[in-house]
Amino acid sequence: MKKIIEVQHLSKIFGEHEVLKDIDFSVSKGEVVCIIGSSGSGKSTLLRCINLLEKPSGGQILYNGENILDDKHDTRTYRTKLGMVFQQFNLFNNHDVLSNCMIGQVKVLKRSKAEAREVAMKYLKVVGMEQFINAKPRQLSGGQKQRVAIARALSMEPDVMLFDEPTSALDPEMVGEVLKVMRELAESGLTMLVVTHEMGFAREVADRVVFMDKGVIAEEGTPEQIFNNPTQERTREFLKRTLQQN
Amino acid sequence: MELNVIIKTISKYWPMFIRGAGVTLVISIIGTIIGFIIGLIIGVIRTIPMPEKGFKRILLKIVNATLAVYIEVFRGTPMIVQAMVIYYGSKQAFNIDMTPLFAGIFIVSINTGAYMAEIVRGGIVSIDKGQFEAAYAIGMSHVQTMVNVVLPQAIRNILPAIGNEFVINIKDTSVLNVISVTELFFQTKSVAGNNFKYFETFFIASAIYLVMTFTVTRILRFIERKMDGPENYIIYANQMQVETPEDALRREQLMKGNK
């Protein structure tokens, strides 16, 4: 399978603190990869390094074989190929639902308004928010906001979708609707990279699970390997702790 | 104070008061608008994320330092002194001949710009970091992010402060009488110099100032309410109190069903 994103020897240092240490990691086309691990293990930082919201301190990131950390590489064009979904939704508060999904297409991809509207409506239907196109973000519930945020990212028709703990800021009863949408997207063959605390989701949907601990990838493998036969002691510890809580 | 003196002064000199008030309004409106535009541009420049290295970083540092000097100088000196330096100074030192009105608008604009730059910067900083990140993540440039996402929200937040600046400008244009701009204070002084009724004449002037500033604050409040839009509508004017989109949908479907 063709590798879309390849991370090589990636490191990230905040001041004195080394958050990511020599990470090697890749995502292939059509693959769903879930990154799990305790808070502060660096999983969100890894995701944010991949779309350059954080500048890596060392190593390289290859996108379709091209090094995107190269100065000549255009960051903005690269970012349009990645759809990002944030923990805090980050919908544009001054735009309504439809406009949130159109603005990137019109301003960045230079699509016509009519085309952008059509694409936006298509993906708003996918997430089941097509009836709320005129609502402002503040009028929506958390789950609805996150579904719109997913539609906004999809409207850019990216190659890879990045999810940064998409359900962590939601009330428990709203987690289901967002996970349902993500499950449908995974089944449609979209390439997805998901940082999550939802172990059930990771186990059922992921093709591959990556466990991170203290800035390194401690273990990776199929969900069966990670959840049923973890080889590392710290993976076992982590799973014991989180599965007990649930 | 005698009422008949006031009435006599108004009936004899009203064209001078009106003309003075007109000049005051023109200078403060144009000055506030230009100052706001200066503030917006500077605010956007000062919030550009600093590149890590290279020529762009040096350029941005120089530009930022220049802007910081501009802000400090014009915020840190009285407008009345700035007026003397710019109007008479440019005439004597560089032989530049400005009309007093042009000089007045120029001075008020750059003075307001210095304050507005800080107000706008405060407005931009107050916007949640997530709004920037979301815009960058879909590939927007810094300017696109500002124009489409951040500034519309920031401007709404700083509108009360902009209104403040406008009111201050209406009052502070009175210092421009030192470069003989024929604004309201200058005209009042001329009238009082003619009739020697200082108290009554300046009482009229203060009433005119008060009417102008009061009207401006009312208009700005109205604009603020307009910009807030439906949120106020839901809270104050809607009998449903807080209606979510789901409720609205349900209600619409119900109404369709009833027909």
Side-chain angles (χ1 to χ4, degrees):
Chain A
M1 257 191 301
K2 201 176 143 220
K3 282 176 181 167
I4 294 191
I5 294 172
E6 225 178 327
V7 173
Q8 296 172 341
H9 306 296
L10 185 79
S11 70
K12 173 71 190 174
I13 302 164
F14 286 116
E16 300 272 290
H17 187 55
E18 202 173 4
V19 187
L20 296 177
K21 298 167 198 161
D22 199 25
I23 301 275
D24 279 299
F25 161 79
S26 68
V27 183
S28 302
K29 198 166 169 47
E31 207 180 15
V32 178
V33 180
C34 283
I35 306 179
I36 59 171
S38 47
S39 305
S41 59
K43 46 193 195 319
S44 285
T45 311
L46 173 59
L47 205 67
R48 291 166 59 83
C49 277
I50 287 175
N51 77 350
L52 301 179
L53 284 177
E54 303 288 353
K55 199 156 168 55
S57 312
Q60 43 186 342
I61 299 170
L62 305 183
Y63 170 73
N64 286 333
E66 282 175 71
N67 183 9
I68 50 117
L69 293 177
D70 197 62
D71 280 342
K72 277 168 273 172
H73 208 281
D74 186 24
T75 307
R76 286 172 51 205
T77 321
Y78 165 67
R79 278 177 175 155
T80 63
K81 309 282 185 196
L82 307 178
M84 180 81 171
V85 176
F86 297 87
Q87 186 178 356
Q88 300 293 342
F89 332 123
N90 296 344
L91 290 179
F92 303 136
N93 294 325
N94 55 325
H95 292 276
D96 62 23
V97 166
L98 183 62
S99 172
N100 259 286
C101 297
M102 284 172 61
I103 189 149
Q105 301 184 60
V106 174
K107 302 288 172 188
V108 182
L109 300 179
K110 310 287 175 203
R111 286 182 185 156
S112 72
K113 281 232 166 98
E115 191 193 352
R117 193 190 153 88
E118 207 171 297
V119 174
M121 285 307 293
K122 181 174 133 196
Y123 289 108
L124 282 169
K125 275 185 193 135
V126 168
V127 300
M129 287 297 291
E130 75 275 16
Q131 286 164 316
F132 300 108
I133 52 172
N134 292 323
K136 283 283 176 91
R138 63 164 180 266
Q139 298 168 313
L140 301 175
S141 74
Q144 292 172 329
K145 279 187 208 171
Q146 196 58 298
R147 277 147 63 197
V148 174
I150 293 172
R152 174 178 68 180
L154 287 172
S155 297
M156 302 294 286
E157 305 192 309
D159 291 342
V160 185
M161 284 285 283
L162 310 178
F163 294 84
D164 186 6
E165 303 193 22
T167 57
S168 297
L170 296 177
D171 291 338
E173 69 262 35
M174 288 166 184
V175 170
E177 58 185 271
V178 172
L179 289 183
K180 183 170 159 273
V181 168
M182 289 172 62
R183 207 175 288 247
E184 285 164 7
L185 291 177
E187 279 159 14
S188 74
L190 196 70
T191 313
M192 287 163 62
L193 180 54
V194 186
V195 170
T196 186
H197 288 291
E198 295 291 331
M199 294 303 147
F201 177 82
R203 181 184 286 221
E204 286 165 40
V205 180
D207 296 313
R208 190 151 52 89
V209 176
V210 174
F211 171 66
M212 284 188 71
D213 186 51
K214 299 196 180 83
V216 296
I217 293 179
E219 191 169 355
E220 67 176 294
T222 62
E224 290 80 53
Q225 277 169 351
I226 299 286
F227 287 105
N228 300 336
N229 304 303
T231 55
Q232 303 275 331
E233 184 55 35
R234 43 187 172 175
T235 317
R236 267 197 290 273
E237 277 291 308
F238 170 76
L239 289 172
K240 211 171 117 193
R241 270 202 318 274
T242 37
L243 296 177
Q244 260 169 8
Q245 279 165 12
N246 290 347
Chain B
M1 181 166 91
E2 288 172 56
L3 197 62
N4 61 343
V5 177
I6 292 180
I7 293 168
K8 226 195 256 167
T9 311
I10 293 176
S11 58
K12 191 169 174 194
Y13 296 105
W14 65 268
M16 286 181 76
F17 284 116
I18 294 293
R19 238 178 293 143
V23 172
T24 291
L25 270 184
V26 165
I27 293 177
S28 46
I29 289 174
I30 297 178
T32 309
I33 291 172
I34 297 179
F36 177 55
I37 294 168
I38 294 174
L40 275 184
I41 295 169
I42 295 179
V44 171
I45 294 174
R46 299 240 288 174
T47 50
I48 295 175
M50 188 61 78
E52 301 243 330
K53 53 181 185 287
F55 173 70
K56 272 189 186 163
R57 182 182 169 90
I58 300 165
L59 185 73
L60 192 59
K61 284 217 156 161
I62 295 171
V63 172
N64 276 345
T66 317
L67 293 176
V69 170
Y70 159 70
I71 291 170
E72 288 306 326
V73 167
F74 281 92
R75 259 194 335 180
T77 53
M79 193 155 84
I80 194 166
V81 178
Q82 293 165 14
M84 298 299 276
V85 170
I86 289 173
Y87 182 63
Y88 293 113
S90 63
K91 210 176 252 180
Q92 289 184 346
F94 305 110
N95 228 349
I96 300 168
D97 209 359
M98 291 185 263
T99 64
L101 183 68
F102 177 83
I105 292 173
F106 181 72
I107 290 155
V108 173
S109 300
I110 52 175
N111 188 286
T112 310
Y115 284 95
M116 287 285 194
E118 286 299 277
I119 294 174
V120 171
R121 195 169 65 89
I124 293 172
V125 171
S126 76
I127 300 299
D128 180 30
K129 223 177 112 220
Q131 298 283 311
F132 291 84
E133 289 188 344
Y136 292 147
I138 59 173
M140 283 194 194
S141 64
H142 181 71
V143 172
Q144 283 176 328
T145 303
M146 283 294 165
V147 171
N148 296 302
V149 178
V150 176
L151 287 183
Q153 298 179 50
I155 289 172
R156 165 62 193 92
N157 290 351
I158 63 175
L159 214 54
I162 295 172
N164 250 350
E165 277 303 309
F166 195 3
V167 168
I168 289 171
N169 278 342
I170 290 176
K171 297 185 295 175
D172 282 7
T173 45
S174 58
V175 306
L176 295 174
N177 78 85
V178 296
I179 57 169
S180 31
V181 177
T182 54
E183 41 69 51
L184 184 54
F185 181 83
F186 186 89
Q187 299 284 46
T188 313
K189 218 168 59 171
S190 315
V191 172
N194 272 327
N195 65 4
F196 299 109
K197 301 284 185 192
Y198 278 84
F199 182 76
E200 287 81 359
T201 314
F202 277 99
F203 183 80
I204 295 167
S206 51
I208 298 174
Y209 274 118
L210 194 61
V211 167
M212 288 197 289
T213 52
F214 186 78
T215 314
V216 163
T217 46
R218 291 302 102 178
I219 291 171
L220 282 166
R221 272 304 291 152
F222 176 74
I223 294 173
E224 270 178 51
R225 277 202 296 271
K226 265 258 142 106
M227 279 178 92
D228 286 343
E231 196 161 53
N232 281 356
Y233 174 79
I234 288 167
I235 295 166
Y236 301 114
N238 186 348
Q239 295 216 326
M240 302 283 191
Q241 293 300 320
V242 184
E243 190 181 51
T244 63
E246 285 102 326
D247 294 337
L249 205 73
R250 227 171 281 139
R251 188 164 50 84
E252 268 171 36
Q253 279 165 354
L254 213 69
M255 279 160 76
K256 268 184 215 150
N258 287 346
K259 267 177 202 165

